[in-house]
Amino acid sequence: MKTAVIYWSGTGNTKAMAEAVAEGAGAELFEVSSFGEDIAGYDSIAFGCPSMGAEELEETEFAPFFDSVESKLNGKTILLFGSYGWGDGEWMRNWEERCKAAGAVLIDDKGYIVNEAPADDQLTICKELGKALSSASL
């Protein structure tokens, strides 16, 4: 079974989370700008993006990418994660709803968010979520 972790990170916080998820899942790790494959080739996918602006997905690279794959999420097992510096996680709740409406199956039925830089215990949770993601697609 193939698992991909696809992320965008501005400060390195979401990148650290992505690396931990990929380690836990035994997954291929891609920055969104370097992902040139079709998500159809993956059994499970983790998407990582921090909160930007008024609690939105990063709009230059990540949002256009996600818009292009959203219709292909039906039946896919996915994990959503990201970091934030302000707000209350509205961007993640909106993202979760979009994915559920597209027919995706979310690990733990919700995304995982971390305020600012992830601490060691939060990176451990990311690894565990990665393991759950890869085992859910078996």
Side-chain angles (χ1 to χ4, degrees), residues 1-15:
M1 301 303 211
K2 285 180 70 175
T3 302
V5 177
I6 306 165
Y7 73 95
W8 185 93
S9 185
T11 63
N13 296 340
T14 299
K15 178 181 181 181

Side-chain angles (χ1 to χ4, degrees), residues 90-136:
E90 179 183 6
W91 107 98
M92 184 58 73
R93 291 190 301 274
N94 292 338
W95 197 12
E96 292 163 358
E97 290 307 313
R98 284 179 65 182
C99 292
K100 289 175 186 176
V105 178
L106 274 70
I107 293 295
D108 284 351
D109 201 42
K110 61 183 177 3
Y112 182 62
I113 60 175
V114 170
N115 185 264
E116 302 294 347
D120 289 343
D121 62 328
Q122 293 167 319
L123 292 174
T124 298
I125 291 169
C126 288
K127 288 178 190 173
E128 292 302 316
L129 287 168
K131 287 178 189 174
L133 178 66
S134 65
S135 65

Side-chain angles (χ1 to χ4, degrees), residues 17-31:
M17 295 174 75
E19 291 170 344
V21 169
E23 181 182 334
E28 296 178 63
L29 180 64
F30 301 94
E31 287 186 59

